[in-house]
Amino acid sequence: MPKPRILSLHSGSNMGKDGDVALVFGLSGTGNHIRYRIGDDEHCWSDHGVLNIEGGCYAKCIDLAKEKEPDIWNAIKFGTVLENVVFEEHTREVDYMDKSVTENTRAAYPIEYIPNAKIPCVGPHPKNVILLACDAFGVLPPVSKLNLAQTMYHFISGYTTLVAGTEDGIKEPTATFSTLSVNQPSHYIIDDHKKKASKIVCLKEKTFIKI
């Protein structure tokens, strides 16, 4: 995608009731309760706006309960693929508490299984970009409003923490930088600079604010 100047993004994307779009970087399945969901995890940002390219969701389902995650629970039906889960052989009842295979249990299902999905999964240029950083070492403040230069720096550096349950072989939190590799960083900075979102917020994961 970068060669035709389309920015591919590992992010969630949601649309508010007034048609304003937000990109959320850092967590799978973020923004479940926003007005409309454009997509869960994989998007492209072109000169025309954003679009989802995965067509579904790849949700974590360890310790899943209907009371905590009703959208994911209700999406697990015929057509959904469960990964790494343990189930009772005769009744096929899934034990979502069982971590004997791995904590990284997943459910993959089409985007239309989510009641607030926006079909087709496209939207205009984002007005807000939210960067969620898994910071286990207190490097970042809980909430920061970033200017354009700071946003480009954090987008390129990709500071985060590898944690047990989602990374194979990780027992203790480990700081890392998830950097871009397809093109030189300046290529992405120039593209990102042209797509000026009106509000940039950097949050530690599991910190929630209204914008």
Side-chain angles (χ1 to χ4, degrees), residues 124-174:
H125 291 298
K127 292 186 66 177
N128 302 288
V129 176
I130 300 174
L131 308 175
L132 296 166
C134 184
D135 175 22
F137 303 97
V139 175
L140 301 174
V143 182
S144 302
K145 186 175 180 180
L146 307 181
N147 62 31
L148 187 59
Q150 292 169 327
T151 304
M152 291 189 292
Y153 173 82
H154 283 284
F155 178 76
I156 294 300
S157 64
Y159 170 70
T160 188
T161 306
L162 302 179
V163 294
T166 57
E167 297 289 338
D168 188 33
I170 297 294
K171 303 298 183 183
E172 298 292 335
T174 304

Side-chain angles (χ1 to χ4, degrees), residues 17-39:
K17 61 181 180 180
D18 297 323
D20 54 308
V21 170
L23 286 177
V24 185
F25 292 87
L27 283 176
S28 300
T30 50
N32 288 354
H33 306 295
I34 307 298
R35 179 77 172 177
Y36 300 110
R37 178 186 291 194
I38 295 175

